[in-house]
Amino acid sequence: MLMSVSLMLLMGLFLGWVCKKLRLPSLLGMMLTGIILGPYVLNLIDISILSISADLRKIALIIILTRAGLTLEINDLKKVGRPAILMCFVPAAFEIIGMVVLAPILFDVSILEAAIIGTVVGAVSPAVIVPKMIRLIDEGYGINKGIPQLILAGASVDDVFVIVLFTAFTGLAQGKQISVMSFVNIPVSICLGVAIGYIIGFVLSKYFAKVHIRDTVKVIIILSISFVLVTIEDKITGIIKFSALIAIMFIGISLQKYRKEVSMRLSVKFNKLWVCAEILLFVLVGATVDLHYITSSAFSAILLIFGVLCFRMLGVFLCLLHTKLSLKERVFCMLAYMPKATVQAAIGGVPLAMGMDCGNLVLTIAVVAILITAPLGAFFIELTYKKFLEYNLMEKVST
C-alpha cells in the first residue's frame, strides 16, 4: 500500500509538471498517472486503496469545497443573483435534453437510456472547477462582476440536481415509480444544506473566538464535522435529505463572514492540504478509466460528448442573458462550465452494476467525457481567463 501511495504521488507530481511545461493542465498528467498505474494497465495500485477510492476522492472534494467556502463572501453571492440560481440546473438540463436527442441517433438506445446517460454526463466537476475559480479570486480576475463566484455556486449545486434525476431515471428503468417528492427534494436538500452549513459555521466562529486553539486543530475540527455531515447524508434514506457538500461549503462561507481573519489563515492551511489531495483525487479518477471500453465506440462517443457540450453551452448562454457580462466574459463562462470528472467517476459504473443493457455504454461515455472535458475545460480556463476577464485585484484588496 505504501509503495502504491508513493508511486501515485511521485508519478502524479512528475507527469503534472511535464504537462505544465507543455502548457497543458497538470490534472491531465495526474489522470494519466492513474490510467497507467491503474488496474487496466500496469495494475500497480494496491487493491486496498482502490477499495476506498470513492472515500478518498470525497475527502479531496471536501477539502477543496471548504477552501472555496473560506474564499467566498456572502455579498459576492448576493451580487451574482439570478444567474447563479439558473446555472445550478439549466445547463445540466440542456445537456440531458441534448443527450436524449443525439444518443438514440448515434447509438441503439431508448429515450430512457439516453436520459440515464445524460444524467451521468450532465454534472460538472467541482474538483476541477473550484480550484480554478479560487485561483481567479485570489488573482483578482473577474471578481468585480462576480464571475468566479457565479461559476463556483453553480458547480457546487448542480450535482444535487443531476444525481436526483439519475436516481429517478435508473429507478424507472428498473420498473419503479418516480415519486414527485424526489424532485421536491432538490430545492429542499439545497436549502437545508445551506442552513445547516451556515449555522455550523456561525457556532464554530463563536467557539473559535472564545477558545484559543491552533489553526491546525481548527482544520481537524472542520474536517471531522464535514466527514460526519457526509456520513449522515449517506445514511438518510427518508424523503427529506440535505446536501452535505453544499453544507460543507457554507461552513466556510459562514466562518468567512463572522471570523474573517481566521478564515484567511485556515484558507492557507486548506490550500496546503489540497496539494496532496489534488494528486490523489485525479490519480484515482484516472484509475477508474478502462481503455478497453473506449476503443469499441470511441468515435461515436467523442462525437456525442461534443454534441451535448453545445447544448450545455447554450444553456449557460441563456442563464447569462440580461446580465452586464461582455461577450468575452460569457464565452469564458461557457468554456469554464464544461469540465467533468468526479460525478462521472462515481456513478458511471452504477448502471452496469445494476445489470442494465446500456451499462457498458454508459460507462464508456462517462470515461470519454472525463478524458475530453476535464483537461480541455481546465486548458481553456487557463488560456482565456487573463484575456477575457477584467483584472480587479486593487479593488479586491481595498474591499
Side-chain angles (χ1 to χ4, degrees):
M1 180 177 176
L2 294 179
M3 178 62 74
S4 297
V5 172
S6 64
L7 283 173
M8 290 163 63
L9 293 175
L10 292 175
M11 190 170 172
L13 281 171
F14 175 70
L15 289 184
W17 174 80
V18 170
C19 286
K20 271 191 173 180
K21 288 294 181 181
L22 296 174
R23 298 194 174 182
L24 295 170
S26 59
L27 67 87
L28 179 59
M30 298 170 193
M31 287 179 64
L32 286 174
T33 299
I35 294 172
I36 294 168
L37 296 180
Y40 304 108
V41 182
L42 297 181
N43 195 24
L44 294 178
I45 300 178
D46 194 275
I47 188 65
S48 59
I49 296 176
L50 293 175
S51 65
I52 59 169
S53 174
D55 292 322
L56 292 174
R57 295 199 304 267
K58 191 163 283 188
I59 289 171
L61 196 55
I62 287 169
I63 290 171
I64 196 58
L65 284 175
T66 306
R67 170 76 169 86
L70 292 167
T71 306
L72 277 173
E73 294 188 19
I74 290 291
N75 291 334
D76 289 338
L77 288 176
K78 290 179 180 177
K79 185 167 62 176
V80 173
R82 175 188 58 84
I85 297 173
L86 294 177
M87 290 279 277
C88 295
F89 65 92
V90 172
F94 267 70
E95 190 163 5
I96 293 168
I97 292 170
M99 190 67 74
V100 170
V101 172
L102 299 177
I105 297 173
L106 294 171
F107 297 96
D108 184 21
V109 294
S110 66
I111 291 177
L112 178 58
E113 289 172 333
I116 292 171
I117 299 170
T119 55
V120 171
V121 175
V124 293
S125 174
V128 178
I129 292 177
V130 170
K132 296 293 182 184
M133 294 306 108
I134 290 175
R135 179 178 172 184
L136 265 62
I137 293 172
D138 290 341
E139 294 185 11
Y141 283 94
I143 58 175
N144 189 41
K145 295 183 180 178
I147 294 171
Q149 297 92 326
L150 165 71
I151 297 172
L152 265 177
S156 303
V157 176
D158 93 323
D159 291 359
V160 179
F161 171 70
V162 169
I163 290 172
V164 170
L165 290 180
F166 172 77
T167 304
F169 291 145
T170 50
L172 189 61
Q174 291 183 311
K176 299 177 183 177
Q177 291 185 341
I178 296 180
S179 170
V180 175
M181 288 305 298
S182 63
F183 293 100
V184 173
N185 191 48
I186 296 174
V188 171
S189 63
I190 292 170
C191 292
L192 279 176
V194 170
I196 291 169
Y198 197 83
I199 291 169
I200 292 173
F202 174 77
V203 172
L204 286 177
S205 70
K206 297 301 180 184
Y207 177 73
F208 294 157
K210 291 184 178 180
V211 181
H212 179 72
I213 52 177
R214 295 174 58 185
D215 288 339
T216 304
V217 178
K218 293 172 185 172
V219 169
I220 294 172
I221 291 172
I222 293 171
L223 283 177
S224 299
I225 292 172
S226 299
F227 296 161
V228 170
L229 289 174
V230 171
T231 304
I232 292 174
E233 182 191 22
D234 292 338
K235 296 293 183 183
I236 293 176
T237 57
I239 295 175
I240 303 300
K241 298 187 70 173
F242 74 99
S243 172
L245 294 181
I246 294 174
I248 289 163
M249 188 171 73
F250 268 83
I251 290 174
I253 291 173
S254 184
L255 274 172
Q256 199 273 150
K257 180 178 181 179
Y258 295 106
R259 296 285 293 169
K260 193 173 183 67
E261 290 184 4
V262 172
S263 71
M264 291 173 64
R265 296 199 306 268
L266 292 179
S267 178
V268 174
K269 294 280 186 181
F270 276 96
N271 215 27
K272 293 177 180 178
L273 283 175
W274 176 243
V275 174
C276 179
E278 180 184 31
I279 300 171
L280 290 176
L281 173 63
F282 290 110
V283 169
L284 291 172
V285 168
T288 65
V289 174
D290 187 348
L291 297 177
H292 296 100
Y293 286 128
I294 300 176
T295 54
S296 58
S297 54
F299 178 76
S300 297
I302 292 169
L303 193 63
L304 179 63
I305 294 302
F306 279 108
V308 296
L309 281 178
C310 293
F311 278 82
R312 167 172 280 275
M313 289 181 178
L314 175 60
V316 174
F317 182 80
L318 292 177
C319 291
L320 302 178
L321 290 177
H322 306 298
T323 64
K324 295 181 180 179
L325 302 188
S326 67
L327 180 60
K328 283 186 177 180
E329 290 167 337
R330 295 183 191 196
V331 170
F332 173 81
C333 292
M334 292 160 68
L335 294 173
Y337 215 55
M338 72 162 69
K340 305 166 190 302
T342 41
V343 174
Q344 289 70 32
I347 66 175
V350 172
L352 181 62
M354 289 179 171
M356 294 185 183
D357 295 335
C358 63
N360 277 329
L361 180 61
V362 174
L363 184 58
T364 299
I365 294 173
V367 168
V368 172
I370 293 171
L371 292 177
I372 291 175
T373 63
L376 197 61
F379 174 74
F380 278 128
I381 292 171
E382 292 286 336
L383 182 68
T384 61
Y385 79 95
K386 290 184 179 179
K387 299 175 183 177
F388 289 5
L389 304 183
E390 293 179 4
Y391 178 67
N392 311 111
L393 187 59
M394 294 305 296
E395 182 176 345
K396 178 176 184 284
V397 172
S398 63
T399 56

